């Protein structure tokens, strides 16, 4: 028997990369992180400024101090006494929810017809959708205003909500692109198993397209929640229909400017968006990168 | 239970000039396992989808039982289908996937659960019922797809290349399972594959398609021994049959210097050439015969296939012979190949049809 023993490894030991490689990795990590930190500071600075000002007294807000002293939490209570925030929030929710519901309900069948049903003129119709997508909204604002005025709806939320129930070019485009990636086999399998076309849309397609639909709803909600232009155009004259964004901008002129209260109100208005984003972050990111997503 | 009949069934895809399936006439008996085989693009999938109602029948008709279903939507045909990529719903559990057709058919939940359990036991899926398809291996997914197709006991069972995504070993095993399942249930089955070995081992009868035309339909042995034409002869069997065009003179064909006597019926009408077909097992490495040079030797265990090239009528021709592995020549050797005249098949060079001897 030979005594020359080969060392038998008892456990896998991780090979340590050579020093030069480790040094390079370390420097890369430092470089990446410092860039991310700088970017984060740039993006967060205004937010931090708002948050700090919202906690100051009015006198301090006008001074050059950056740190609140004392912390005045009362601002968040005062805001509600000084302005009908609940009224505005309710209007915003009515606008954002009904518009989002309308976009989803009306865009899905259109996108389905543009992607999964074969008919003459389909490509032409899709071309029109693309043109609508490229048209800046400002172009159609005046004729639309005239139309709503003739219908007697200016001053209310109708002109903001109703158009969304007639489809939205971007949502149709996004959903169509997603529907196109659903393998035909799924639909064929459902057909053979006894589903009709409507049933297929309602069960199979909607389930498979859930991330895309969530993304569309999210985009629409955020857009309408943050929308300033259309509410200003249609509801400026009627304070009972103001949404948060309008209310916020009018807040300053309504009373004498109180920066601490203005910032507190701003913070309150931003909060839902931030919360929605954190809750739906996954769907949001998926929506942005949809073209690369596979089922 | 039902029989299936294609009567002059034709499918011309819009925007193409040649029919994908051209005037197909095919009868599948009640309870029969019929395999459609052919190279890629020969129209197998199209023929199957016409039967499922997923593709229109442009002319002719398709019958299931006594009923003309040419214009019936899929859900009225009582067929079920296993797709190449299985088409399992990723958001449903295995149990829900198998139970899907029953749910659509509004079968009560208790009954549904019972049937799903039965099928799962039959297919060895009981442990996986609560998993999603994404958490299964390829073979298990394949079984779920089979389960979904079998659970409502259809009149006709359709499968489109169900094994093509599996590795070789699993494929052979699943092949046996599918055959057993079909025999147990006795459901009329139409099975599509491009793999002639799969066709030969599974089918009660095999229909060979080429460019949308049915070439021949018969039991596997018949296709092997009595192929209707040059295409079937070359497609069925592995390695493929040697097919060579050879000159005819004085009542004999000259196959690379070897004279093969021809029966009177073949010589009578004054042909000057013939296509001669010799399977590798009918071509042996011998002392005398057709001189050839060995290109490659494929050792498959007991046997070896000897791939050679030779000069026939001034053209380089490839020939394959079978030999015992231990006696096989080596690459580069010069050998002589002797065809067994009584096992050779003869084909008309113009039409490609086999000549009855
Ligand atoms: N949707 C389609 N549109 C146009 N041509 C098609 C379509 N599907 C298949 N074909 C054509 O029909 C022929 C047969 O296709 P197929 O039935 O899929 O063949 P196989 O399943 O035997 O590979 C092919 O030439 C293919 O290109
Ligand atoms: Mg195919």
């Amino acid at each position: 028997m030979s005594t020359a023993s080969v060392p038998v490894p008892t456990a896998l030991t991780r090979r340590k990369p050579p020093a030069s490689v480790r040094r390079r990795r370390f420097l890369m990590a430092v470089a990446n992180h410092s860039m991310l930190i700088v970017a984060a500071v740039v993006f967060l600075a205004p937010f931090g400024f708002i948050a700090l000002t919202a906690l100051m007294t009015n006198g301090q807000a006008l001074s050059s101090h950056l740190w609140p002293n004392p912390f005045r939490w009362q601002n968040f209570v005062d805001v509600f006494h000084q302005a009908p925030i609940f009224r505005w929030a309710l209007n915003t929710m009515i606008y954002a929810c009904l518009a989002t519901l309308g976009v989803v309900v009306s865009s899905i069948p259109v996108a389905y017809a543009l992607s999964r049903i074969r008919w003459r003129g389909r490509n032409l119709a899709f071309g029109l959708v693309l043109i609508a997508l490229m048209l800046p909204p400002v172009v159609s604002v005046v004729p639309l205003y005239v139309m709503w005025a003739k219908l007697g709806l200016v001053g209310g939320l109708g002109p903001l909500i109703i158009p969304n129930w007639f489809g939205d070019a971007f949502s149709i485009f996004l959903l169509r692109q997603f529907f196109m990636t659903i393998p035909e086999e799924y639909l064929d399998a459902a057909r053979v198993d006894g589903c009709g076309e409507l049933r297929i849309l309602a069960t199979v397609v909607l389930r498979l397209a859930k991330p895309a639909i969530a993304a569309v709803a999210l985009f629409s909600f955020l857009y309408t929640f943050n929308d300033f232009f259309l509410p200003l155009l249609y509801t400026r004259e009627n304070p009972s229909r103001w949404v948060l964004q309008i209310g916020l901008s009018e807040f300053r002129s309504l009373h004498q400017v109180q920066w601490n209260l203005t910032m507190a109100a701003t913070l309150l208005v931003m909060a839902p968006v931030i919360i929605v984003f954190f809750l739906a972050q996954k769907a949001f990111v998926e929506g942005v990168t949809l073209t690369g997503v596979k089922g | 239970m039902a029989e299936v009949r294609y009567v002059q069934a034709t499918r011309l895809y819009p925007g193409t000039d040649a029919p994908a399936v051209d005037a197909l006439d095919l009868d599948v008996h009640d309870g029969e396992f019929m395999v459609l085989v052919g190279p890629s693009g020969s129209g197998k999938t199209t023929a199957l989808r016409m039967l499922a109602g997923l593709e229109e029948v442009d002319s002719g008709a398709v019958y299931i039982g006594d009923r003309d279903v040419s214009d019936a939507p899929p859900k009225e045909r009582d067929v079920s289908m296993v797709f190449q990529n299985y088409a399992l719903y990723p958001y449903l559990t295995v149990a829900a996937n198998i139970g899907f057709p029953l749910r659509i058919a509004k079968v009560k939940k208790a009954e549904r659960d019972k049937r799903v359990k039965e099928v799962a036991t039959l297919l060895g899926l009981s442990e996986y019922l609560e998993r999603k398809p994404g958490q299964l291996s390829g073979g298990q997914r394949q079984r779920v797809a089979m389960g979904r197709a079998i659970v409502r006991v259809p009149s006709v069972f359709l499968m489109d290349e169900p094994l093509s995504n599996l590795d070789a070993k699993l494929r052979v095993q699943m092949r046996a399972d599918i055959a057993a399942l079909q025999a147990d249930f006795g459901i009329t089955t139409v099975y599509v594959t491009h793999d002639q070995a799969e066709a030969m081992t599974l089918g009660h009868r095999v229909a060979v398609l080429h460019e949308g035309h049915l070439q021949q339909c018969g039991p596997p042995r018949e296709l092997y021994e009595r192929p209707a034409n040059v295409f079937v002869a070359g497609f069925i069997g592995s390695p493929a049959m040697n097919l060579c065009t050879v000159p005819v003179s004085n009542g004999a064909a000259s196959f690379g210097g070897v004279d093969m006597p021809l029966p009177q019926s073949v010589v009578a009408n004054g042909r000057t050439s013939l296509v001669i077909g010799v399977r590798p097992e009918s071509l042996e490495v011998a002392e005398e015969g057709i001189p050839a040079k060995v290109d490659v030797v494929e050792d498959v265990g007991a046997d070896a296939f000897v791939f050679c090239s030779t000069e026939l009528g001034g053209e380089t021709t490839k020939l394959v012979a079978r030999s015992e592995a231990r006696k096989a020549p080596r690459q580069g050797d010069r050998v002589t190949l002797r065809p067994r005249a009584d096992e050779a098949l003869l084909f008309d060079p113009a039409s490609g049809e086999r000549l009855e001897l």
Side-chain angles (χ1 to χ4, degrees):
Chain A
M1 270 181 85
S2 149
T3 50
S5 66
V6 181
V8 182
T10 46
L12 266 173
T13 47
R14 240 193 125 134
R15 189 184 68 92
K16 229 175 169 189
S20 64
V21 173
R22 268 182 291 152
R23 197 164 54 236
R24 205 172 58 224
R25 282 186 194 161
F26 175 72
L27 289 177
M28 277 306 284
V30 169
N32 285 340
H33 282 85
S34 25
M35 255 151 70
L36 287 174
I37 288 168
V38 169
V41 167
V42 168
F43 282 110
L44 285 176
F47 185 76
F49 180 73
I50 291 173
L52 292 174
T53 311
L55 290 168
M56 293 174 178
T57 62
N58 194 35
Q60 203 195 357
L62 295 171
S63 74
S64 61
H65 295 286
L66 280 178
W67 199 253
N69 185 23
F71 280 82
R72 193 169 184 280
W73 297 98
Q74 181 68 21
N75 286 345
F76 289 97
V77 179
D78 290 352
V79 160
F80 287 95
H81 292 306
Q82 301 241 353
I85 288 208
F86 282 121
R87 175 83 242 170
W88 299 340
L90 183 67
N91 286 335
T92 290
M93 289 319 278
I94 291 172
Y95 173 30
C97 291
L98 288 183
T100 299
L101 190 68
V103 163
V104 170
V105 167
S106 61
S107 298
I108 287 174
V110 179
Y112 188 69
L114 284 177
S115 58
R116 281 297 172 180
I117 300 176
R118 282 178 225 160
W119 47 284
R120 202 183 263 264
R122 186 174 89 175
N123 289 339
L124 185 72
F126 182 58
L128 289 176
V129 170
L130 284 184
I131 289 174
L133 181 59
M134 284 179 253
L135 208 66
V138 189
V139 172
S140 54
V141 135
V142 173
L144 276 177
Y145 189 90
V146 172
M147 183 187 92
W148 292 117
K150 285 192 172 153
L151 289 172
L153 289 175
V154 169
L157 294 174
L160 307 180
I161 294 169
I162 295 168
N164 290 293
W165 287 80
F166 291 88
D168 164 66
F170 172 70
S171 307
I172 291 171
F173 175 73
L174 199 120
L175 288 173
R176 173 194 181 263
Q177 297 311 98
F178 192 85
F179 288 167
M180 300 274 275
T181 66
I182 296 178
E184 188 70 27
E185 254 189 16
Y186 284 125
L187 311 192
D188 283 342
R191 281 182 194 120
V192 171
D193 285 340
C195 295
E197 291 301 318
L198 263 183
R199 183 108 191 220
I200 291 175
L201 174 59
T203 58
V204 181
V205 174
L206 290 195
R207 281 303 292 274
L208 289 170
K210 222 164 81 180
I213 293 167
V216 161
L218 211 56
F219 279 128
S220 168
F221 188 86
L222 288 180
Y223 178 81
T224 47
F225 188 94
N226 290 327
D227 191 11
F228 179 75
F229 177 62
L230 289 179
L232 181 73
L233 186 67
Y234 289 108
T235 65
R236 173 76 205 272
E237 310 301 328
N238 184 0
S240 71
R241 291 288 175 270
W242 283 357
V243 296
L244 282 169
Q245 308 298 342
I246 304 298
L248 202 58
S249 91
E250 300 288 326
F251 188 74
R252 277 163 295 162
S253 40
L254 229 52
H255 313 274
Q256 77 279 29
V257 185
Q258 289 185 288
W259 284 113
N260 57 342
L261 293 191
T262 303
M263 291 307 164
T266 306
L267 212 57
L268 287 174
V269 170
M270 276 163 65
V273 178
I274 292 168
I275 291 170
V276 165
F277 184 82
F278 276 111
L279 290 182
Q281 197 175 18
K282 194 161 155 258
F284 200 79
V285 173
E286 268 179 14
V288 177
T289 56
L290 260 189
T291 38
V293 171
K294 273 252 155 171
Chain B
M1 304 296 114
E3 52 179 20
V4 168
R5 241 171 348 125
Y6 289 89
V7 181
Q8 292 286 303
T10 303
R11 172 63 174 149
L12 180 64
Y13 284 107
T16 59
D17 9 290
V21 171
D22 199 353
L24 176 63
D25 278 313
L26 185 66
D27 284 8
V28 186
H29 307 147
D30 188 13
E32 187 176 32
F33 198 130
M34 170 67 78
V35 178
L36 302 184
V37 70
S40 179
S42 56
K44 312 176 294 286
T45 298
T46 306
L48 195 72
R49 290 170 59 88
M50 287 162 81
L51 179 53
L54 296 171
E55 216 61 75
E56 274 172 54
V57 181
D58 291 315
S59 75
V62 175
Y63 291 86
I64 295 176
D66 295 329
R67 180 162 170 239
D68 181 352
V69 294
S70 310
D71 296 316
K75 62 177 174 178
E76 288 171 20
R77 299 192 183 202
D78 193 24
V79 300
S80 65
M81 186 155 170
V82 176
F83 292 83
Q84 187 168 1
N85 298 312
Y86 315 140
L88 301 177
Y89 304 115
Y91 52 86
L92 293 180
T93 61
V94 168
N97 262 293
I98 295 178
F100 185 79
L102 299 180
R103 206 180 85 207
I104 298 299
K106 302 208 167 63
V107 174
K108 293 247 162 48
K109 177 131 177 35
E111 167 73 7
R112 212 159 73 202
D113 289 348
K114 187 172 140 263
R115 300 255 291 271
V116 168
K117 281 224 177 63
E118 282 168 13
V119 168
T121 310
L122 186 73
L123 292 167
L125 288 169
S126 302
E127 296 162 47
Y128 309 107
L129 282 175
E130 292 314 314
R131 291 212 200 160
K132 295 279 173 66
Q135 300 164 310
L136 299 179
S137 71
Q140 289 162 344
R141 279 181 222 185
Q142 215 283 327
R143 281 165 193 277
V144 177
M146 299 268 301
R148 186 174 65 181
I150 206 92
V151 72
R152 83 197 144 98
V153 192
S155 308
V156 187
F157 197 18
L158 309 178
M159 293 191 248
D160 190 359
E161 313 223 7
L163 305 184
S164 59
N165 286 340
L166 303 182
D167 63 66
K169 191 166 173 203
L170 203 52
R171 208 176 316 167
V172 172
Q173 186 196 332
M174 281 306 293
R175 210 148 80 186
D177 290 354
I178 289 177
L181 199 68
Q182 200 273 341
D184 281 355
F185 281 76
I187 297 175
T188 312
T189 301
V190 183
Y191 183 105
V192 162
T193 178
H194 65 268
D195 179 350
Q196 58 88 26
E198 212 169 288
M200 300 294 275
T201 47
L202 276 175
H204 297 160
R205 284 192 303 155
V206 176
V208 183
L209 288 176
H210 179 46
E211 293 179 349
H213 295 275
L214 178 63
Q215 303 293 311
Q216 187 177 5
C217 176
R221 189 106 305 263
E222 183 181 312
L223 296 193
Y224 191 79
E225 286 172 353
R226 298 155 42 76
N229 57 34
V230 173
F231 178 79
V232 178
F235 189 75
I236 301 289
S238 172
M241 179 186 271
N242 300 297
L243 291 161
C244 307
T245 309
V246 298
V248 174
S249 54
N250 304 328
S254 166
F255 189 4
V258 179
D259 272 351
M260 301 183 75
L262 297 173
Q264 196 51 41
S265 59
V266 171
V267 197
N269 56 7
R271 282 195 181 84
T272 56
S273 70
L274 271 180
V275 175
I276 203 161
V278 183
R279 294 228 177 255
E281 62 264 31
S282 304
L283 191 64
E284 47 190 5
V285 181
E287 300 298 314
E288 58 197 20
I290 310 160
K293 183 164 157 285
V294 178
D295 295 330
V296 175
V297 177
E298 240 177 40
D299 193 332
V300 291
D303 292 329
F305 291 105
V306 186
F307 292 77
C308 311
S309 40
T310 183
E311 294 283 316
L312 283 187
E315 278 181 56
T316 308
T317 308
K318 305 276 182 196
L319 291 177
V320 189
R322 191 175 75 180
S323 102
E324 270 181 62
R326 263 173 270 154
K327 295 181 189 162
R330 285 160 191 276
Q331 190 172 350
D333 283 358
R334 302 217 156 258
V335 293
T336 49
L337 304 172
R338 187 177 60 201
R340 293 204 206 100
D342 53 336
E343 291 171 11
L345 301 176
L346 303 175
F347 301 89
D348 183 89
S351 69
E353 300 296 316
R354 184 169 55 85
L355 303 170
E356 288 291 346
L357 303 182

